[in-house]
Amino acid sequence: MNTSTGPRAVLDIWCDLQCPDCHRAQEDVRALRERYGDALEIRLRHFPLEKNKHAYAAAQAAEEAYAQGAGDAYVTALLSRTQELGRRGEELLSEVARELSLDAEEVETSLVDGRHLLAVDADQAEARALGVTGTPTYLIDGERLDGGRSQEGLRERIEEIADRLLGR
């Protein structure tokens, strides 16, 4: 496994935390992390879709979870409960925070005071500039890969690009 001293590649994943396709993509993300370790930096980027009522709040809550040191676990937990998030909304955001021993009150406060709005809005603006229209969407070495309709072949294409970038 490469460490941060060797070559690195970056994979951005635009995600909606209420999106069932993003939930299904998590298996590929896990496999990529396992295969590349620190050599492939995988960055979650927010692209809450208008059709998903609680996705924007979920993105802000995830940013607060990252600020508290448990963002990846929080995102994974939310993505495993996308349907429930659709039904329960902000109540579930707080519940997941408590389950992960985060400061749930601080997560709730962050939704009120908007401290993470700029981060979420910046991700959305960049995504739109790159032509992102759905989730999940991947960007590696300037190549955009759209996974909203099908994940078929995407992990293999990401691996091809990552292997080239990493000299494998």
Side-chain angles (χ1 to χ4, degrees):
M1 190 180 307
N2 287 350
T3 65
S4 58
T5 59
R8 294 193 73 198
V10 175
L11 173 66
D12 286 320
I13 305 172
W14 273 272
C15 184
D16 173 318
L17 297 176
Q18 195 179 334
C19 169
D21 292 325
C22 291
H23 166 66
R24 285 188 285 279
Q26 287 301 290
E27 185 57 39
D28 286 336
V29 172
R30 274 189 286 282
L32 290 166
R33 280 194 172 114
E34 187 175 301
R35 177 173 175 168
Y36 294 103
D38 291 339
L40 179 63
E41 180 182 355
I42 299 174
R43 301 186 303 200
L44 173 77
R45 307 297 297 278
H46 299 290
F47 195 70
L49 302 171
E50 288 182 25
K51 69 180 182 177
N52 291 329
K53 180 177 167 183
H54 304 292
Y56 196 79
Q60 293 176 73
E63 284 299 308
E64 179 57 31
Y66 278 108
Q68 294 185 35
D72 288 338
Y74 190 83
V75 165
T76 299
L78 279 184
L79 284 173
S80 71
R81 298 164 77 172
T82 56
Q83 289 183 343
E84 188 178 357
L85 178 58
R87 288 189 312 274
R88 296 182 56 208
E90 290 184 21
E91 175 188 346
L92 180 65
L93 300 177
S94 298
E95 182 177 304
V96 169
R98 281 189 297 281
E99 289 170 1
L100 296 172
S101 300
L102 296 174
D103 185 339
E105 192 172 301
E106 201 60 30
V107 170
E108 293 164 7
T109 300
S110 76
L111 296 176
V112 174
D113 69 20
R115 70 184 77 159
H116 301 294
L117 287 173
L118 289 177
V120 175
D121 289 347
D123 279 357
Q124 282 188 306
E126 184 177 350
R128 286 191 179 101
L130 292 168
V132 173
T133 58
T135 59
T137 297
Y138 307 88
L139 183 74
I140 183 168
D141 195 34
E143 185 172 340
R144 191 185 79 221
L145 304 165
D146 300 316
R149 294 212 170 128
S150 171
Q151 291 291 116
E152 186 77 28
L154 287 180
R155 184 171 84 198
E156 292 79 8
R157 181 66 186 130
I158 291 167
E159 288 172 344
E160 287 173 17
I161 296 168
D163 287 346
R164 177 176 45 80
L165 291 171
L166 298 170
R168 292 186 176 182

